[in-house]
Amino acid sequence: MIAQNIGFWIIAVLMVVSALRVVTTNNVVHAALWLVVVLAGAAGQYILLAAEFVAITQVLVYIGAVMVLFLFGTMLTRARIGAESDLNNSYKKLGIPVALVMLVAMGLALTRSFGDEKLPESAKVVSTQEVSDQIFGPYLLPFWALSFVLLAAVVGAIVLARKD
Amino acid sequence: MFVNQFLFLAAVLFCIGVYGVIARKNAVLMLMSIELILNSVNINLLTFAMRNGSTDGHVFALYIIAVAAAEVGVGLGLVLLVYRNKKTISVDELSEMRG
């Protein structure tokens, strides 16, 4: 448990610092690369939470596919790759109190609801078989709906980005 | 490990993502902030899945990952189209629908 706690705090600090860099850096490519650190840290947290299949999916889909999409999007919409000055709104200071108020509200609710409740010590790793039994059992209908969402997204992206 | 340490991490990431959506005007960076928000939700779902000893949270997390991938695909297609028509992707310059 000690080792898991140390791992949690290292990854958590890394994730928060990288997330702050994502929303403050002046370079779109750097923001994408900091986002990779956040997503990889999230995969690490999923492993700590005994969710190996979700962690592997996170690495494959987010770090593999979504980041390539982001970098392509940056490349196709930018004349130059480098630091820029006009990435932020003029009223960006307004975002700080909004985020802080939300954080305080959520923090109060979490402390009151869960206090110092602990996660089960001997949680077994959820195997891929159990997850697939859930997906293709009780959650089959949402799975079909999701297939149509992905189909529509693929067709929509092609239609939108095509040059006529 | 406490339940709250994961939930607080997710809350902090969520708020950073909200700040990013408010502060950024570049459309690609706004999409990245939305990814931060979706990831914090996933951490919450998996924490509760472990707390309750169920696998439902894993299924929802996988579905969120799939929906997020679709969202980024369509979103970047839209950004590309806007850039092609307006030569900019600053969202505050897209004001045709203002009354």
Side-chain angles (χ1 to χ4, degrees), chain B:
Chain B
M1 290 189 291
F2 296 104
V3 176
N4 256 347
Q5 68 191 53
F6 286 99
L7 298 183
F8 265 99
L9 173 66
V12 170
L13 286 180
F14 186 91
C15 293
I16 293 174
V18 168
Y19 168 76
V21 171
I22 294 174
R24 295 296 204 182
K25 71 178 181 183
N26 183 302
V28 174
L29 286 169
M30 284 178 81
L31 280 175
M32 287 185 199
S33 306
I34 292 173
E35 294 301 315
L36 283 181
I37 294 177
L38 290 171
N39 258 285
S40 74
V41 175
N42 268 352
I43 293 178
N44 261 10
L45 283 173
L46 292 173
T47 309
F48 283 115
M50 188 176 183
R51 172 175 176 264
N52 300 332
S54 77
T55 48
D56 295 351
H58 297 235
V59 179
F60 281 110
L62 287 171
Y63 285 1
I64 286 182
I65 290 177
V67 170
E71 172 245 330
V72 171
V74 175
L76 284 174
L78 284 172
V79 170
L80 206 60
L81 198 66
V82 168
Y83 178 75
R84 211 178 276 153
N85 287 328
K86 310 268 296 183
K87 293 290 167 225
T88 177
I89 53 170
S90 294
V91 289
D92 59 349
E93 291 178 35
L94 309 173
S95 54
E96 281 88 356
M97 292 180 75
R98 185 175 292 163

Side-chain angles (χ1 to χ4, degrees), chain A residues 36-152:
Chain A
V36 170
V37 179
V38 180
L39 298 174
Q45 302 288 16
Y46 297 166
I47 290 190
L48 283 180
L49 288 166
E52 52 174 25
F53 185 70
V54 183
I56 290 171
T57 313
Q58 168 96 357
V59 173
L60 285 179
V61 174
Y62 268 113
I63 303 177
V66 170
M67 289 324 299
V68 172
L69 269 181
F70 272 127
L71 291 174
F72 263 98
T74 312
M75 191 183 81
L76 292 174
T77 53
R78 289 280 122 196
R80 68 200 167 86
I81 306 250
E84 292 170 62
S85 54
D86 60 338
L87 294 174
N88 292 323
N89 278 315
S90 49
Y91 53 87
K92 71 168 182 175
K93 292 274 184 297
L94 201 64
I96 298 173
V98 172
L100 281 181
V101 166
M102 286 183 70
L103 186 62
V104 169
M106 281 194 274
L108 280 178
L110 288 178
T111 340
R112 282 192 193 158
S113 313
F114 298 106
D116 48 4
E117 188 183 331
K118 283 181 183 291
L119 284 168
E121 288 278 330
S122 58
K124 65 174 178 45
V125 172
V126 176
S127 68
T128 309
Q129 187 190 352
E130 287 171 72
V131 177
S132 71
D133 282 347
Q134 287 285 316
I135 290 178
F136 296 109
Y139 291 104
L140 185 59
L141 201 60
F143 178 75
W144 279 345
L146 196 62
S147 313
F148 280 105
V149 167
L150 281 174
L151 180 68

